[in-house]
């Protein structure tokens, strides 16, 4: 439940915008989902939030590099979204 004046804050790993990394994520995704409890490497979280009717007001993308090495669950985003206006508010 979110108040009409509330905000949705999100921090997620998302699909890569680099074609080569995205192909690697797509190949690993079936096994990753099985071992990771349904976690999806190829999810486009920002788009999903927008399609749910929220207005994304801030988003920052960054590489998740544990121990300085590439990771299938990279890149990540952190952001803020607002719910749709209710009754013109």
């Amino acid at each position: 439940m979110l108040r009409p004046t509330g905000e949705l804050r999100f921090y997620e790993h998302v699909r890569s915008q680099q074609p080569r990394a995205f192909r690697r994520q797509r190949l690993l995704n079936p096994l990753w989902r099985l071992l990771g409890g349904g976690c999806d490497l190829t999810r486009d979280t920002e788009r999903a939030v927008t399609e749910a009717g929220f207005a994304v007001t801030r988003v920052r993308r960054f590489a998740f590099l544990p121990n300085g090495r590439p990771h299938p669950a990279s890149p990540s985003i952190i952001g803020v979204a607002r719910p749709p206006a209710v009754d013109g508010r």
Side-chain angles (χ1 to χ4, degrees):
M1 186 59 87
L2 189 64
R3 291 181 179 165
T5 57
E7 56 184 30
L8 170 70
R9 293 175 178 244
F10 53 93
Y11 175 23
E12 286 250 349
H13 63 80
V14 294
R15 65 171 280 179
S16 179
Q17 294 179 332
Q18 298 175 357
R20 190 176 195 183
F22 175 61
R23 281 193 299 275
R24 187 171 41 250
Q25 285 178 322
R26 202 173 55 218
L27 284 170
L28 290 171
N29 201 46
L31 181 60
W32 194 271
R33 288 184 69 144
L34 182 67
L35 298 176
C39 180
D40 188 346
L41 291 173
T42 61
R43 183 172 292 131
D44 187 345
T45 302
E46 186 177 359
R47 186 172 83 185
V49 168
T50 301
E51 287 177 354
F54 289 85
V56 175
T57 57
R58 265 191 334 248
V59 69
R60 182 172 60 96
R61 298 176 181 282
F62 58 96
F64 174 67
L65 303 171
N67 299 320
R69 296 175 181 251
H71 192 273
S74 184
S76 294
I77 62 171
I78 189 166
V80 177
R82 300 249 179 225
V86 178
D87 300 326
R89 286 186 265 160

